[in-house]
C-alpha cells in the first residue's frame, strides 16, 4: 500500500543558517480514503528514548513524530497529532494560534487516532546502538469536523510533518515545512498538500434506439430493482429477473460480491 504514497524525506532546520538537514533521517508518507487519513513514518535513531506514557502528556520532551494540519483558510484553527516510541498519543485542536498556550486545550475535544509503533533496537538504553523506530496510524476525518472535516478531491491543505529527536540538551527539532522560526505552529508557513482523488470511471456509450429515458445509474454502479414485483394471492411467483439494466435489451447478471471492485485508496501528494 505505502509504495504508492509520496515519500517526504527532506526534514531539516530551514530556520537556521544554511538550512541544515536533520542529523538523523525521517521518511514519512500519507494516504487517504473517505473515512481516514493514514500515516507512516520511519525514523532513523541511534538512541530511541521516551518516558511519557499518558495521553496528551508532554510528548515534546521525548522522541516524537508530529503531524500538523491546517485544513483551510475558510475555517479557523488547526490540528496537532503526536506519537512517541511508547505509542502514547497527543491529539489537539487549536481554534487560534494563541490557544496553544493554554495547556488545558490539549485535553479538550475527543479524538480517535489509532497508532502502532515498532522500535528497531532497545528503548531507553543508551548502552547499545539502535537503528530507529517506525509508526503507522490513521485519523478519522470525523475528528476534524471542527475545521470542516474530510477534504474533497483536489482540495489543498497546509501540512507540517515534524520531529523531535532526543531528550534534554541534545534535543533536535526538524520539519518538512519551510519554517522561518523554530516553532511547529507557524501555520502560514506549512507546505501545501493537494488531496488527489481516484481516476474517473470510464462510461460506456449507450447504443439502443429503443431506450426511453436513461438507464445509467451513478458512476460505478448498475441499476437494479428497488422493490420486488407484487404477486397476487394464490399465483406462484415467476423466476427472478436476470436483467439488471431496465430496457437495455442486453440481459446481464449482477456480479457476485467477490468480483466487484474493491474501494479505491486515494493518494495524498505534495505540490
Amino acid at each position: 500500500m505505502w509504495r504508492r504514497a509520496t515519500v517526504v524525506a527532506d526534514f531539516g532546520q530551514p530556520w537556521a543558517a544554511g538550512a541544515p538537514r536533520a542529523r538523523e533521517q525521517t521518511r514519512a508518507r500519507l494516504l487517504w480514503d473517505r473515512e481516514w487519513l493514514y500515516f507512516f513514518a520511519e525514523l532513523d535513531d541511534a538512541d530511541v528514548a521516551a518516558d511519557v506514557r499518558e495521553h496528551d502528556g508532554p510528548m515534546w520532551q521525548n522522541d516524537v513524530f508530529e503531524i500538523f494540519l491546517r485544513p483551510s483558510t475558510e475555517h479557523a484553527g488547526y490540528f496537532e497529532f503526536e506519537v512517541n516510541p511508547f505509542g502514547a498519543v497527543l491529539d489537539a485542536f487549536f481554534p487560534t494560534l494563541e490557544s496553544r498556550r493554554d495547556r488545558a486545550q490539549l485535553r479538550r475535544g475527543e479524538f480517535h487516532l489509532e497508532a502502532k509503533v515498532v522500535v528497531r533496537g532497545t528503548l531507553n538504553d543508551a548502552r547499545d546502538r539502535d537503528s530507529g523506530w517506525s509508526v503507522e496510524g490513521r485519523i478519522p476525518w470525523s475528528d476534524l469536523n471542527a475545521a470542516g472535516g474530510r477534504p474533497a478531491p483536489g482540495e489543498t491543505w497546509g501540512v507540517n510533518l515534524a520531529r523531535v529527536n532526543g531528550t534534554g540538551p541534545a534535543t533536535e527539532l526538524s520539519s518538512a515545512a519551510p519554517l522561518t522560526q523554530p516553532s511547529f505552529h507557524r501555520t502560514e508557513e506549512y507546505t501545501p498538500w493537494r488531496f488527489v482523488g481516484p481516476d474517473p470511471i470510464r462510461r460506456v456509450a449507450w447504443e439502443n434506439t429503443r431506450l426511453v429515458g436513461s438507464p445509467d445509474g451513478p458512476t460505478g454502479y448498475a441499476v437494479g430493482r428497488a422493490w420486488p414485483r407484487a404477486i397476487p394471492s394464490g399465483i406462484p411467483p415467476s423466476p427472478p429477473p436476470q436483467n439488471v439494466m431496465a430496457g437495455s435489451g442486453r440481459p446481464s447478471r449482477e456480479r457476485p460480491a467477490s468480483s466487484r471492485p474493491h474501494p479505491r485508496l486515494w493518494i495524498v501528494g505534495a505540490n
Side-chain angles (χ1 to χ4, degrees):
M1 177 178 82
W2 291 112
R3 288 194 300 269
R4 301 181 56 195
T6 300
V7 180
V8 180
D10 53 345
F11 284 70
Q13 297 178 321
W15 56 84
R21 293 179 64 84
R23 65 172 181 256
E24 294 179 301
Q25 295 303 301
T26 303
R27 296 164 297 282
R29 299 167 173 85
L30 299 178
L31 290 170
W32 71 299
D33 61 16
R34 292 182 58 84
E35 304 298 331
W36 302 87
L37 173 67
Y38 304 89
F39 62 91
F40 176 57
E42 300 170 287
L43 305 94
D44 297 342
D45 196 336
D47 184 19
V48 183
D51 59 9
V52 177
R53 295 176 180 267
E54 69 269 24
H55 182 218
D56 290 337
M59 308 274 285
W60 52 90
Q61 299 174 3
N62 289 186
D63 286 333
V64 70
F65 176 70
E66 308 188 25
I67 300 174
F68 294 83
L69 302 172
R70 176 72 164 95
S72 161
T73 56
E74 298 177 1
H75 299 89
Y78 65 101
F79 297 89
E80 177 180 1
F81 299 96
E82 301 183 13
V83 184
N84 75 0
F86 271 130
V89 168
L90 180 149
D91 37 35
F93 172 67
F94 299 104
T96 66
L97 184 61
E98 288 302 313
S99 64
R100 69 187 175 91
R101 304 182 188 281
D102 179 7
R103 294 291 296 272
Q105 187 66 35
L106 294 177
R107 302 187 182 278
R108 295 189 178 114
E110 183 175 353
F111 296 89
H112 305 87
L113 184 153
E114 301 174 3
K116 297 293 184 181
V117 171
V118 174
V119 176
R120 302 187 300 278
T122 307
L123 181 61
N124 293 328
D125 189 348
R127 296 170 298 177
D128 63 0
R129 184 176 179 83
D130 306 323
S131 60
W133 60 289
S134 302
V135 55
E136 185 174 28
R138 61 182 187 173
I139 305 164
W141 293 119
S142 56
D143 280 2
L144 278 60
N145 285 343
R150 185 185 69 222
E155 191 171 327
T156 298
W157 285 19
V159 177
N160 182 24
L161 305 179
R163 174 182 181 182
V164 178
N165 187 10
T167 59
T171 297
E172 179 191 63
L173 305 182
S174 62
S175 168
L179 307 179
T180 58
Q181 297 291 330
S183 169
F184 295 157
H185 296 264
R186 298 177 64 84
T187 58
E188 72 279 7
E189 296 176 342
Y190 286 0
T191 303
W193 281 66
R194 184 169 59 89
F195 288 80
V196 179
D199 296 331
I201 299 176
R202 180 175 175 269
R203 299 181 72 92
V204 179
W206 187 258
E207 300 176 358
N208 191 322
T209 57
R210 294 177 296 166
L211 176 66
V212 177
S214 173
D216 290 338
T219 302
Y221 295 85
V223 176
R225 290 184 179 275
W227 303 97
R229 289 180 296 177
I231 303 298
S233 176
I235 300 178
S238 60
Q242 296 183 358
N243 287 358
V244 176
M245 303 292 285
S248 68
R250 298 179 182 177
S252 61
R253 296 179 183 271
E254 279 193 291
R255 288 178 293 179
S258 60
S259 66
R260 294 173 188 166
H262 295 291
R264 294 288 299 275
L265 189 65
W266 298 351
I267 305 171
V268 179
N271 283 353

